[in-house]
Amino acid sequence: MSPLESTEYPLLLGLDTSTSVTSIAIARGERVLFSTTHQQEDRRSESLWLDLKSDLDHCGVSLNQVDGFVVCLGPGAFTGLRVGVAAIKGLSLATGKPAAGISSLEASAFAANRTGLVCALVNAYKGEVYSQMFSFDERGAPVALNEALVSTSTAAIERVADVRSLTFAGDAVGAFEALILGAAEGGEWTLAGSKPLAESLVKLAVRKREVWRAALKACYIRPAEAEVKLAAGLLGSKIKRTLSGDQI
């Protein structure tokens, strides 16, 4: 059940672990009460619980007061996504409160705060980006106009080359600013850059009630490096057994 069905202004906790920076937001409906980021080092799975507790304590909020949880499903950093989705699943199970998931591409497009077309570019590492183009519906929520793609930055930009008026948003925009503006060819292309996504997650979860009905499953777009090695027969039997088990 969506928390929106039980209260007009639910207390929501948003979590994004799709990058090296953990983003956490606490909101009453769409009104953000608290938003912060935590730079992650090693052992994120351990530090995340301390970060969440510290932020809730700072707001004077207990887990039992939270009406619902929202997590970024990716694409993004594989390990970070697994940690974040597992954490929200655990919190949902422990509290009996619902959880919802939203993609990093959709949240990046929403964070641009635009009404026209937005191309979300998210860092895929290894010189690649995840990309997807969005328009916006009457709720102000992003609507995907093509499939999410992992590619070189050049291929991602070529895919939208015929769009005259377009905004680029997401954490990969800064690294490819010169390439984007150089490819504009007289078009009205603007850069919105990147913002922590937790605030966008909670706001979208209020506008898009349907996200509360979907199962939480991380969105990777491409296989993990370990899965590539598994397919190539380059992993030992113990690791093979681990990868063949249930995955988040």
Side-chain angles (χ1 to χ4, degrees), residues 4-236:
L4 305 180
E5 297 176 21
S6 58
T7 175
E8 185 177 2
Y9 300 105
L11 186 65
L12 302 178
L13 186 152
L15 173 67
D16 172 36
T17 56
S18 65
T19 72
S20 61
V21 177
T22 293
S23 172
I24 297 172
I26 299 170
R28 174 70 69 183
E30 288 196 43
R31 184 168 67 91
V32 177
L33 306 177
F34 177 82
S35 178
T36 191
T37 58
H38 300 274
Q39 187 68 46
Q40 297 302 313
E41 303 297 338
D42 295 331
R43 301 183 181 276
R44 188 180 211 166
S45 58
E46 297 176 12
S47 62
L48 178 58
W49 298 107
L50 297 176
D51 293 338
L52 287 169
K53 184 179 186 307
S54 173
D55 294 343
L56 286 167
D57 289 346
H58 178 82
C59 294
V61 173
S62 70
L63 272 178
N64 288 332
Q65 291 177 294
V66 176
D67 296 307
F69 304 94
V70 192
V71 66
C72 180
L73 299 177
F78 284 77
T79 301
L81 291 175
R82 290 189 175 106
V83 170
V85 173
I88 291 303
K89 282 184 175 181
L91 290 173
S92 177
L93 181 62
T95 61
K97 303 296 177 62
I102 293 169
S103 84
S104 57
L105 291 161
E106 184 175 2
S108 294
F110 180 78
N113 193 28
R114 297 292 196 273
T115 56
L117 299 180
V118 173
C119 179
L121 294 179
V122 171
N123 191 354
Y125 308 98
K126 299 182 180 180
E128 294 182 319
V129 297
Y130 299 108
S131 66
Q132 192 168 24
M133 190 164 67
F134 297 87
S135 61
F136 295 85
D137 64 18
E138 68 281 357
R139 301 170 296 182
V143 177
L145 299 179
N146 54 17
E147 296 295 321
L149 173 74
V150 59
S151 69
T152 64
S153 55
T154 300
I157 294 168
E158 286 177 348
R159 189 163 71 139
V160 297
D162 61 342
V163 181
R164 177 170 178 79
S165 181
L166 185 63
T167 297
F168 289 83
D171 68 356
V173 169
F176 302 106
E177 176 177 350
L179 180 63
I180 295 170
L181 295 180
E185 296 184 353
E188 298 173 2
W189 285 11
T190 58
L191 308 180
S194 173
K195 297 178 182 178
L197 296 184
E199 291 187 25
S200 294
L201 295 176
V202 291
K203 291 178 180 180
L204 278 173
V206 173
R207 298 189 186 196
K208 298 185 64 175
R209 293 173 179 249
E210 62 269 25
V211 299
W212 296 97
R213 298 192 292 269
L216 293 188
K217 185 177 181 181
C219 172
Y220 300 123
I221 305 299
R222 68 181 179 193
E225 186 172 348
E227 293 171 322
V228 173
K229 290 181 178 179
L230 173 64
L234 300 177
L235 297 180

